[in-house]
Amino acid sequence: MPPLDDTFVIDPAIASSTQRLADGRELIYFDDVDTTLPAERLPDARELAPRPPTASMRQDPLTGEWISIAAARQNRVMLPPANLDPLAPASPSNPSEIPDQYDVAVFENKSPSFGPLLEDENAPVDLADLETIGIGRTRTSVGRCEVVSFSPSSTGSFGSLSRTRARTVIEAWARRTHALSQIDSIQQVFPFENRGEQIGVTLHHPHGQIYSYPYVTPRTQRLIAASEAYGPGLFADILAAEQADERVVLAGEHWTAFVPFAARWPIEVHLLPHRHVPDFAATSLEERDELAVLYLRLLRGVDALYDTPTPYIAAWHQAPTRVHRDELRLHLQLTSPRRGADRLKYLAGSEAAMGAWIGDVPPETTATALRAAIAAADEENPV
């Protein structure tokens, strides 16, 4: 059991309720503090086919990495028209995934990469089992994938939310991180948002996802190796060094956002809490309150860089649920391939094949542009 219960707190003003969709998937409503919605919600009246079988993972013996082969994802909805938005509240002409009006809704993905099984005879035994290298090794892709719908509106993104709604989403991230981390087969919980067709989104509706993996992800394994090579205090020392540099773009009492010293992407921003917290479940209510403001300001600034919305991946890195929680700190890595108003960075030979990155824009240049864009956004669209 991960060491969360001693520190986890919830905001009692943000109510939540749970029900089941017609095929058995869990749906959780999170209500804004000033919600006008009733506590009772309509049931899911659809007739749905059984859920697809849980995918299978295959190990790449050249790297030790596990690849989930989830063929059911081929059937997911692809950029539907607004009148068939699967994340809009259900109507007679649109029997969507969410059967009633809502503020924020979280539900199990219909075509998950991991799950719905949480246990199986071929599930990973433990982390040591996953680290063993072999030819033709498979394991069941146990775990859970959830959709987080930020709003009933069919357009927008996290940055277009109100401050109150942003706070509700952050509360949902914290509560879902806590709940998912208690499941024995889940080793890491990852909240994220993909924004823009250039990133590959399949829905325009403002939403994010939460992946709960049965292993520690390759990116996090690299963080663990770096922390062990450096010694105690890696994240604290990074934060102190960045706070003293010109690449800071936003700072509050509890959080600092900066363009990292060795940024890979044309737009890349990291956001770190000032104290060590392994994940959202360990944050305080005060930290969540401030994050709702700073994160909105950051995203609106990113959008103010150009005349059209900026595509991005907002990745919230959290420590694994059971190991290295004292070393790895919760942090945002926001990246965009946009290197100009009408130019994108594509990963070609060096980056895609060899992982040898070449930065197109000096991080200091990006930080200067972002500070100006955040100031402009604060003036035009204050949080």
Side-chain angles (χ1 to χ4, degrees), residues 70-355:
R73 285 172 51 80
Q74 285 283 67
N75 300 321
R76 63 191 189 276
V77 176
M78 182 69 179
L79 299 175
N83 65 313
L84 295 177
D85 179 359
L87 302 186
S91 67
S93 60
N94 180 25
S96 75
E97 290 282 74
I98 306 173
D100 206 345
Q101 293 292 328
Y102 66 95
D103 293 328
V104 174
V106 179
F107 61 92
E108 291 182 76
N109 197 311
K110 194 172 186 176
S111 303
S113 303
F114 301 92
L117 286 180
L118 295 170
E119 298 178 353
D120 186 70
E121 61 182 12
N122 195 40
V125 177
D126 51 27
L127 291 177
D129 171 42
L130 291 164
E131 292 168 358
T132 301
I133 303 295
I135 306 296
R137 297 191 75 212
T138 67
R139 291 291 181 267
T140 305
S141 297
V142 295
R144 187 151 170 172
C145 294
E146 298 181 340
V147 177
V148 183
S149 187
F150 301 155
S151 164
S153 173
S154 291
T155 59
S157 63
F158 194 104
S160 60
L161 302 179
S162 68
R163 177 176 175 177
T164 299
R165 179 61 51 77
R167 180 63 182 84
T168 304
V169 175
I170 292 167
E171 186 72 15
W173 287 340
R175 295 191 198 180
R176 295 311 300 149
T177 293
H178 177 264
L180 294 165
S181 296
Q182 308 306 306
I183 299 172
D184 287 343
S185 57
I186 289 174
Q187 299 291 343
Q188 191 168 9
V189 180
F190 173 50
F192 64 99
E193 179 193 4
N194 297 332
R195 194 280 187 88
E197 289 185 42
Q198 301 93 325
I199 295 298
V201 300
T202 57
L203 294 175
H204 290 300
H205 194 110
H207 74 288
Q209 299 181 68
I210 301 174
Y211 271 31
S212 299
Y213 303 99
Y215 54 72
V216 177
T217 61
R219 166 71 179 181
T220 304
Q221 291 183 27
R222 294 285 296 275
L223 290 177
I224 292 168
S227 177
E228 291 177 338
Y230 180 86
L234 175 61
F235 280 90
D237 290 353
I238 288 173
L239 180 60
E242 294 289 2
Q243 286 175 323
D245 204 275
E246 62 182 298
R247 290 181 301 277
V248 170
V249 297
L250 271 176
E253 180 183 354
H254 303 290
W255 304 81
T256 293
F258 54 88
V259 178
F261 173 74
R264 291 169 169 79
W265 294 94
I267 301 171
E268 182 169 349
V269 185
H270 293 190
L271 178 62
L272 264 68
H274 293 173
R275 71 183 181 100
H276 179 81
V277 289
D279 52 30
F280 273 115
T283 57
S284 67
L285 298 186
E286 294 77 15
E287 287 165 335
R288 295 175 206 166
D289 289 344
E290 182 179 88
L291 180 60
V293 176
L294 289 184
Y295 191 32
L296 284 175
R297 291 179 62 201
L298 173 61
L299 292 177
R300 292 177 186 182
V302 168
D303 266 356
L305 284 168
Y306 300 103
D307 293 335
T308 57
T310 294
Y312 63 75
I313 296 173
W316 285 99
H317 295 271
Q318 305 196 104
T321 59
R322 289 163 182 79
V323 296
H324 298 284
R325 295 181 59 79
D326 291 334
E327 301 101 277
L328 301 191
R329 184 177 299 198
L330 167 71
H331 64 286
L332 169 72
Q333 182 186 40
L334 187 144
T335 59
S336 174
R338 194 171 194 176
R339 59 187 181 92
D342 57 357
R343 297 180 182 180
L344 295 177
K345 176 183 179 68
Y346 294 98
L347 301 191
S350 183
E351 287 111 343
M354 300 304 290

